[in-house]
């Protein structure tokens, strides 16, 4: 699958690419999109007025898009398979997974 981080250009209403990558994983495309966007925003926080989204395209043609306002889903956490599919800078930007107590 491929993933892309996009920024909305407010004057022309065009989505501009801010990052791109490929992954081979069994993780759900929506989980990859959430993790890519969450990692990007943790690594490079949005400035006032910026709108970001992440789009994942699978090799079979399925497209999943996640907007920043969808990241607040309570209880979502990037699992090990999702983390493994991310580049190191995004993986390190995500909060550490909850370990055993």
């Amino acid at each position: 699958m491929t993933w892309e981080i996009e920024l909305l250009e407010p004057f022309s209403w065009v989505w501009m690419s801010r990052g791109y990558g490929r992954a081979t994983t069994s993780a759900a495309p929506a989980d990859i999109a959430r993790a890519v966007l969450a990692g990007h925003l943790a690594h490079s926080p949005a400035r006032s007025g910026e709108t970001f989204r992440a789009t994942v395209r699978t090799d079979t043609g399925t497209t999943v898009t996640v907007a920043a306002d969808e990241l607040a889903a309570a209880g979502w956490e990037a699992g090990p398979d999702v983390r493994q599919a991310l580049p190191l800078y995004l993986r390190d930007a995500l909060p550490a997974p909850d370990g055993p107590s």
Side-chain angles (χ1 to χ4, degrees):
M1 70 178 60
T2 60
W3 54 262
E4 185 174 18
I5 301 164
E6 299 168 299
L7 169 66
L8 180 64
E9 200 290 314
F11 298 105
S12 63
W13 288 92
V14 172
W15 289 98
M16 301 181 332
S17 180
R18 288 292 181 226
Y20 185 81
R22 293 188 61 78
T24 301
T25 180
S26 61
D31 287 341
I32 295 294
R34 279 187 201 94
V36 163
L37 186 55
H40 176 77
L41 292 175
H43 183 262
S44 304
R47 293 178 292 207
S48 177
E50 289 184 329
T51 302
F52 285 91
R53 72 179 184 184
T55 301
V56 171
R57 292 174 184 85
T58 66
D59 296 337
T60 59
T62 304
T63 301
V64 176
T65 301
V66 173
D69 59 350
E70 297 174 55
L71 292 178
W76 181 83
E77 184 177 298
D81 55 341
V82 173
R83 288 177 171 277
Q84 187 63 35
L86 299 178
L88 190 58
Y89 81 98
L90 292 177
R91 191 180 322 154
D92 286 348
L94 291 174
D98 291 337
S101 306

